[in-house]
Amino acid sequence: MRTFITLLLVGLCALMLEGALATIFPPPWCPDLAFLVVVSVGLCRRGLIPGLLFAYLLGSSIDVLSGSLMGLHALLSIFVFMAAAFAGSQLNLKSTFSLMGFVGSLSVVYGLSLYLLSSFFSEGIDLGLVWIIETFVHAAINALAAPFVVDGISRLVAWSGTDDSQERALYIESVGKPL
C-alpha cells in the first residue's frame, strides 16, 4: 500500500512537472512524464490490479487537467500499462537502446490512438504532415527520457519497501540435510 501511494504521488507530481515544463518547451519537445511513469510502473511492478488502478487514476487525472474527453487518457493509460507489463515480462528491456525503442514505438502508438479516438468523437481534427512530424519528435523525446524515468521509478519502488523490480529468488527445498 505504501508503494502504491508513493507511486501515485510521484505520478501526480510528474504530471504537474510536465505542465510546468510545457510552458518552457513547446509540446512536442516536452517529454510526457505521466506516460513515462505509467510505462515505468508497468515494467517494474508485478501486481496487475494495483498497476491497473494506478494507470486508471493517473489517466483520469490527465483527463481532468487536460480538458480532453473524459476517460480517453484513462483508457489509453490502462492499455499502456498492459503493454509495458506484457513487454517487461516477455522482452529483455534491460538495455538502454531496447528500452528506448520500446518507449518510442509505444509513444507513437499512443499518439495515433489518441488521434483516432479523438477524431471518432469530435469533428474537424485533421491528420496532417505537421502532426505526424510532431508525433515522431515527441516519441523521440520520450525515448530519450525513458531510461532516466524508468531507473528513477525502479529505485523509488525499491526504496519504498517492497522491491518488486528485482527478480525473486527461487527457493529449493531439500530432503534430508539443509543446503
Side-chain angles (χ1 to χ4, degrees), residues 123-177:
E123 293 184 27
I125 300 175
D126 291 331
L127 179 65
L129 183 62
V130 173
W131 182 85
I132 293 172
I133 291 171
E134 286 180 355
T135 299
F136 281 103
V137 167
H138 190 64
I141 296 298
N142 282 344
L144 290 174
F148 303 107
V149 176
V150 169
D151 184 51
I153 293 295
S154 64
R155 288 176 190 262
L156 184 71
V157 167
W159 173 81
S160 68
T162 57
D163 189 2
D164 282 347
S165 64
Q166 303 295 322
E167 287 80 20
R168 298 197 175 148
L170 177 64
Y171 295 106
I172 301 173
E173 218 174 285
S174 64
V175 179
K177 300 191 258 182

Coordinates of all heavy atoms in Angstrom, one line a residue, residues 123-177:
E123 N -15.3 16.3 -34.4 CA -15.1 16.6 -35.9 C -14.1 17.7 -36.0 O -13.9 18.5 -35.1 CB -16.5 17.0 -36.5 CG -17.5 15.8 -36.5 CD -18.7 16.3 -37.2 OE1 -18.7 17.1 -38.1 OE2 -19.8 15.7 -36.9
G124 N -13.5 17.7 -37.2 CA -12.6 18.8 -37.5 C -11.2 18.6 -37.1 O -10.4 19.5 -37.2
I125 N -10.8 17.3 -36.8 CA -9.4 17.0 -36.4 C -8.8 16.4 -37.7 O -9.2 15.4 -38.2 CB -9.3 16.0 -35.2 CG1 -10.0 16.7 -34.0 CG2 -7.9 15.7 -34.9 CD1 -10.1 15.7 -32.8
D126 N -7.7 17.1 -38.2 CA -7.1 16.6 -39.4 C -5.7 16.0 -39.0 O -5.0 16.4 -38.2 CB -6.8 17.8 -40.3 CG -8.1 18.4 -40.9 OD1 -9.0 17.6 -41.1 OD2 -8.1 19.6 -41.2
L127 N -5.4 14.9 -39.8 CA -4.1 14.3 -39.6 C -3.2 14.8 -40.7 O -3.3 14.4 -41.9 CB -4.3 12.7 -39.8 CG -3.1 11.9 -39.7 CD1 -2.5 12.0 -38.3 CD2 -3.4 10.4 -40.0
G128 N -2.4 15.8 -40.4 CA -1.5 16.4 -41.4 C -0.1 16.0 -41.2 O 0.3 15.2 -40.3
L129 N 0.7 16.5 -42.1 CA 2.1 16.2 -42.1 C 2.8 16.7 -40.8 O 3.7 16.1 -40.2 CB 2.8 16.7 -43.3 CG 4.3 16.4 -43.5 CD1 4.5 14.9 -43.5 CD2 4.9 17.1 -44.7
V130 N 2.3 17.9 -40.4 CA 2.9 18.5 -39.2 C 2.6 17.7 -38.0 O 3.4 17.5 -37.1 CB 2.3 20.0 -39.0 CG1 2.7 20.6 -37.7 CG2 2.7 20.8 -40.2
W131 N 1.4 17.1 -37.9 CA 1.0 16.2 -36.8 C 1.9 15.0 -36.7 O 2.4 14.6 -35.7 CB -0.4 15.8 -36.8 CG -0.9 15.0 -35.7 CD1 -1.3 15.4 -34.5 CD2 -0.9 13.6 -35.6 NE1 -1.5 14.4 -33.6 CE2 -1.3 13.2 -34.3 CE3 -0.5 12.6 -36.5 CZ2 -1.4 11.9 -33.9 CZ3 -0.6 11.3 -36.1 CH2 -1.1 10.9 -34.8
I132 N 2.2 14.4 -37.9 CA 3.0 13.2 -38.0 C 4.4 13.5 -37.5 O 5.0 12.8 -36.8 CB 2.9 12.6 -39.4 CG1 1.5 12.1 -39.7 CG2 4.0 11.5 -39.6 CD1 1.3 11.7 -41.1
I133 N 5.0 14.6 -38.0 CA 6.3 15.0 -37.6 C 6.4 15.3 -36.1 O 7.3 14.8 -35.4 CB 6.8 16.2 -38.4 CG1 7.0 15.8 -39.9 CG2 8.1 16.8 -37.9 CD1 7.2 17.0 -40.8
E134 N 5.4 16.0 -35.6 CA 5.4 16.3 -34.1 C 5.2 15.0 -33.3 O 5.8 14.9 -32.2 CB 4.3 17.2 -33.8 CG 4.6 18.7 -34.2 CD 3.5 19.6 -33.9 OE1 2.4 19.2 -33.3 OE2 3.6 20.8 -34.1
T135 N 4.5 14.0 -33.8 CA 4.3 12.7 -33.1 C 5.7 12.0 -33.0 O 6.0 11.5 -32.0 CB 3.3 11.9 -33.8 OG1 2.0 12.6 -33.7 CG2 3.1 10.5 -33.1
F136 N 6.4 12.0 -34.1 CA 7.7 11.3 -34.1 C 8.8 12.0 -33.3 O 9.6 11.4 -32.6 CB 8.2 11.0 -35.5 CG 7.5 9.8 -36.1 CD1 6.5 10.0 -37.1 CD2 7.8 8.5 -35.8 CE1 5.9 8.9 -37.6 CE2 7.2 7.4 -36.3 CZ 6.2 7.6 -37.3
V137 N 8.7 13.4 -33.3 CA 9.6 14.2 -32.4 C 9.3 13.9 -31.0 O 10.2 13.7 -30.1 CB 9.5 15.7 -32.8 CG1 10.2 16.5 -31.7 CG2 10.1 15.9 -34.1
H138 N 8.0 13.9 -30.6 CA 7.6 13.6 -29.3 C 8.0 12.2 -28.8 O 8.4 12.0 -27.7 CB 6.1 13.8 -29.1 CG 5.6 13.8 -27.7 ND1 5.9 14.8 -26.8 CD2 4.8 13.0 -27.1 CE1 5.3 14.5 -25.7 NE2 4.6 13.4 -25.8
A139 N 7.9 11.2 -29.7 CA 8.3 9.9 -29.4 C 9.8 9.8 -29.2 O 10.2 9.1 -28.3 CB 7.8 8.9 -30.5
A140 N 10.5 10.5 -29.9 CA 12.0 10.5 -29.7 C 12.4 11.2 -28.4 O 13.3 10.7 -27.7 CB 12.7 11.3 -30.9
I141 N 11.7 12.3 -28.0 CA 11.9 12.9 -26.8 C 11.6 12.0 -25.6 O 12.3 11.9 -24.6 CB 11.2 14.3 -26.7 CG1 11.7 15.2 -27.7 CG2 11.3 14.8 -25.3 CD1 13.1 15.6 -27.6
N142 N 10.4 11.3 -25.7 CA 10.0 10.3 -24.7 C 11.0 9.2 -24.6 O 11.4 8.7 -23.5 CB 8.6 9.7 -25.0 CG 7.5 10.7 -24.7 OD1 7.7 11.6 -23.9 ND2 6.4 10.4 -25.2
A143 N 11.6 8.7 -25.8 CA 12.5 7.6 -25.8 C 13.8 8.1 -25.1 O 14.5 7.3 -24.4 CB 12.8 7.2 -27.2
L144 N 14.2 9.3 -25.3 CA 15.5 9.8 -24.7 C 15.3 10.0 -23.1 O 16.3 9.8 -22.4 CB 15.9 11.2 -25.3 CG 16.4 11.1 -26.7 CD1 16.6 12.5 -27.2 CD2 17.7 10.3 -26.8
A145 N 14.1 10.3 -22.7 CA 13.9 10.5 -21.3 C 13.6 9.2 -20.5 O 13.6 9.1 -19.3 CB 12.7 11.5 -21.0
A146 N 13.2 8.2 -21.3 CA 12.7 6.9 -20.7 C 13.7 6.2 -19.8 O 13.3 5.8 -18.7 CB 12.3 5.9 -21.8
P147 N 15.0 6.1 -20.1 CA 15.9 5.4 -19.2 C 16.0 6.0 -17.8 O 16.1 5.4 -16.8 CB 17.3 5.4 -20.0 CG 16.9 5.6 -21.4 CD 15.7 6.4 -21.4
F148 N 16.0 7.4 -17.8 CA 16.1 8.1 -16.6 C 14.9 7.9 -15.7 O 15.0 7.7 -14.5 CB 16.4 9.6 -16.8 CG 17.6 9.8 -17.7 CD1 17.5 10.2 -19.0 CD2 18.8 9.6 -17.1 CE1 18.6 10.4 -19.8 CE2 20.0 9.8 -17.9 CZ 19.8 10.2 -19.2
V149 N 13.7 8.0 -16.3 CA 12.4 7.8 -15.6 C 12.3 6.4 -15.1 O 11.9 6.2 -13.9 CB 11.2 8.3 -16.4 CG1 9.9 8.0 -15.7 CG2 11.4 9.7 -16.8
V150 N 12.6 5.4 -15.9 CA 12.4 4.0 -15.5 C 13.4 3.7 -14.4 O 13.0 3.0 -13.4 CB 12.7 3.1 -16.7 CG1 12.8 1.6 -16.3 CG2 11.5 3.2 -17.7
D151 N 14.6 4.2 -14.5 CA 15.6 4.0 -13.4 C 15.1 4.7 -12.1 O 15.2 4.1 -11.0 CB 17.0 4.5 -13.8 CG 18.0 4.2 -12.8 OD1 18.1 3.1 -12.3 OD2 18.7 5.2 -12.4
G152 N 14.6 5.9 -12.2 CA 14.1 6.6 -11.0 C 12.9 5.9 -10.4 O 12.9 5.7 -9.1
I153 N 12.0 5.4 -11.2 CA 10.8 4.7 -10.6 C 11.2 3.4 -10.0 O 10.7 3.0 -8.9 CB 9.7 4.5 -11.7 CG1 9.2 5.9 -12.1 CG2 8.6 3.6 -11.2 CD1 8.4 6.6 -11.0
S154 N 12.2 2.6 -10.6 CA 12.6 1.4 -10.1 C 13.3 1.6 -8.7 O 13.2 0.8 -7.8 CB 13.4 0.6 -11.0 OG 14.6 1.2 -11.3
R155 N 14.1 2.6 -8.6 CA 14.8 3.0 -7.4 C 13.8 3.4 -6.3 O 13.9 3.1 -5.1 CB 15.8 4.1 -7.6 CG 17.0 3.7 -8.3 CD 18.0 4.8 -8.5 NE 19.0 4.5 -9.4 CZ 20.2 4.2 -9.0 NH1 20.5 4.1 -7.8 NH2 21.2 3.9 -9.9
L156 N 12.7 4.1 -6.7 CA 11.7 4.5 -5.8 C 10.9 3.3 -5.3 O 10.6 3.3 -4.1 CB 10.7 5.5 -6.5 CG 9.6 6.1 -5.6 CD1 10.2 7.1 -4.7 CD2 8.6 6.8 -6.5
V157 N 10.6 2.4 -6.1 CA 9.9 1.1 -5.7 C 10.8 0.4 -4.7 O 10.3 -0.1 -3.7 CB 9.5 0.3 -6.9 CG1 9.1 -1.1 -6.5 CG2 8.4 0.9 -7.7
A158 N 12.1 0.3 -5.0 CA 13.0 -0.4 -4.1 C 13.1 0.4 -2.7 O 13.2 -0.3 -1.7 CB 14.4 -0.5 -4.7
W159 N 13.1 1.7 -2.8 CA 13.2 2.5 -1.6 C 11.9 2.4 -0.7 O 12.0 2.4 0.5 CB 13.5 3.9 -2.0 CG 13.4 4.9 -0.8 CD1 14.4 5.1 0.1 CD2 12.4 5.7 -0.4 NE1 14.0 6.0 1.0 CE2 12.7 6.4 0.7 CE3 11.1 5.9 -0.9 CZ2 11.9 7.3 1.4 CZ3 10.2 6.8 -0.3 CH2 10.7 7.5 0.8
S160 N 10.8 2.3 -1.4 CA 9.5 2.4 -0.6 C 9.2 1.1 0.2 O 8.2 1.0 0.8 CB 8.4 2.7 -1.6 OG 8.1 1.6 -2.5
G161 N 10.0 0.1 0.0 CA 9.8 -1.1 0.9 C 9.7 -2.4 0.2 O 10.3 -3.4 0.7
T162 N 8.9 -2.5 -0.8 CA 8.7 -3.7 -1.5 C 9.5 -3.7 -2.8 O 9.1 -2.9 -3.7 CB 7.2 -4.0 -1.7 OG1 6.7 -2.9 -2.5 CG2 6.5 -4.2 -0.4
D163 N 10.5 -4.5 -2.9 CA 11.3 -4.5 -4.1 C 10.8 -5.5 -5.1 O 11.2 -6.6 -5.2 CB 12.7 -4.8 -3.7 CG 13.7 -4.5 -4.9 OD1 13.2 -4.1 -6.0 OD2 14.9 -4.8 -4.7
D164 N 9.8 -5.1 -5.9 CA 9.3 -5.9 -7.0 C 10.0 -5.7 -8.3 O 9.8 -6.4 -9.2 CB 7.8 -5.7 -7.2 CG 6.9 -6.3 -6.2 OD1 7.4 -7.1 -5.4 OD2 5.7 -5.9 -6.1
S165 N 11.0 -4.8 -8.3 CA 11.7 -4.5 -9.5 C 12.8 -5.6 -9.8 O 13.2 -5.7 -10.9 CB 12.3 -3.1 -9.5 OG 13.3 -3.1 -8.4
Q166 N 13.2 -6.3 -8.8 CA 14.2 -7.4 -9.0 C 13.5 -8.7 -9.1 O 12.4 -8.9 -8.6 CB 15.1 -7.4 -7.8 CG 15.8 -6.1 -7.5 CD 16.7 -5.7 -8.6 OE1 17.4 -6.6 -9.2 NE2 16.8 -4.4 -9.0
E167 N 14.2 -9.6 -9.7 CA 13.6 -11.0 -9.8 C 13.6 -11.6 -8.5 O 14.5 -11.4 -7.7 CB 14.5 -11.8 -10.8 CG 14.3 -11.5 -12.3 CD 15.1 -10.2 -12.7 OE1 16.1 -9.9 -12.0 OE2 14.7 -9.6 -13.7
R168 N 12.6 -12.4 -8.2 CA 12.5 -13.1 -6.9 C 13.4 -14.3 -6.9 O 13.6 -15.0 -7.9 CB 11.1 -13.5 -6.7 CG 10.2 -12.2 -6.6 CD 8.9 -12.5 -6.0 NE 8.3 -11.2 -5.9 CZ 7.0 -11.1 -6.0 NH1 6.2 -12.1 -6.2 NH2 6.5 -9.9 -5.9
A169 N 13.9 -14.6 -5.7 CA 14.8 -15.8 -5.6 C 14.0 -17.1 -5.6 O 12.9 -17.1 -5.2 CB 15.5 -15.7 -4.2
L170 N 14.6 -18.1 -6.2 CA 14.0 -19.4 -6.3 C 14.5 -20.2 -5.1 O 15.7 -20.5 -4.9 CB 14.4 -20.1 -7.6 CG 13.9 -21.5 -7.8 CD1 12.3 -21.5 -7.8 CD2 14.4 -22.1 -9.0
Y171 N 13.5 -20.6 -4.2 CA 13.9 -21.4 -3.1 C 13.7 -22.9 -3.4 O 12.7 -23.3 -3.9 CB 13.0 -21.0 -1.9 CG 13.2 -19.6 -1.4 CD1 12.3 -18.6 -1.7 CD2 14.3 -19.3 -0.7 CE1 12.5 -17.3 -1.3 CE2 14.5 -18.0 -0.3 CZ 13.6 -17.0 -0.6 OH 13.8 -15.7 -0.2
I172 N 14.8 -23.6 -3.2 CA 14.8 -25.0 -3.4 C 14.8 -25.8 -2.1 O 15.6 -25.6 -1.2 CB 16.1 -25.4 -4.2 CG1 16.1 -24.7 -5.6 CG2 16.1 -26.9 -4.5 CD1 17.4 -24.9 -6.3
E173 N 13.7 -26.6 -2.0 CA 13.6 -27.4 -0.8 C 14.4 -28.6 -0.9 O 14.4 -29.3 -2.0 CB 12.1 -27.7 -0.6 CG 11.6 -27.7 0.8 CD 10.1 -27.9 0.8 OE1 9.4 -26.9 0.5 OE2 9.8 -29.0 1.2
S174 N 15.1 -29.0 0.1 CA 15.9 -30.2 0.1 C 15.4 -31.2 1.0 O 14.8 -30.9 2.1 CB 17.4 -29.9 0.4 OG 17.5 -29.4 1.7
V175 N 15.6 -32.4 0.7 CA 15.1 -33.5 1.6 C 16.3 -34.0 2.4 O 17.4 -34.2 1.8 CB 14.6 -34.7 0.7 CG1 14.1 -35.8 1.6 CG2 13.4 -34.2 -0.2
G176 N 16.2 -34.1 3.7 CA 17.3 -34.5 4.5 C 18.1 -33.4 5.1 O 17.6 -32.7 5.9
K177 N 19.3 -33.2 4.5 CA 20.1 -32.1 5.0 C 19.8 -30.8 4.4 O 19.4 -30.7 3.2 CB 21.6 -32.4 4.7 CG 22.1 -33.7 5.3 CD 23.6 -33.7 5.1 CE 23.9 -34.6 3.9 NZ 25.4 -34.7 3.7

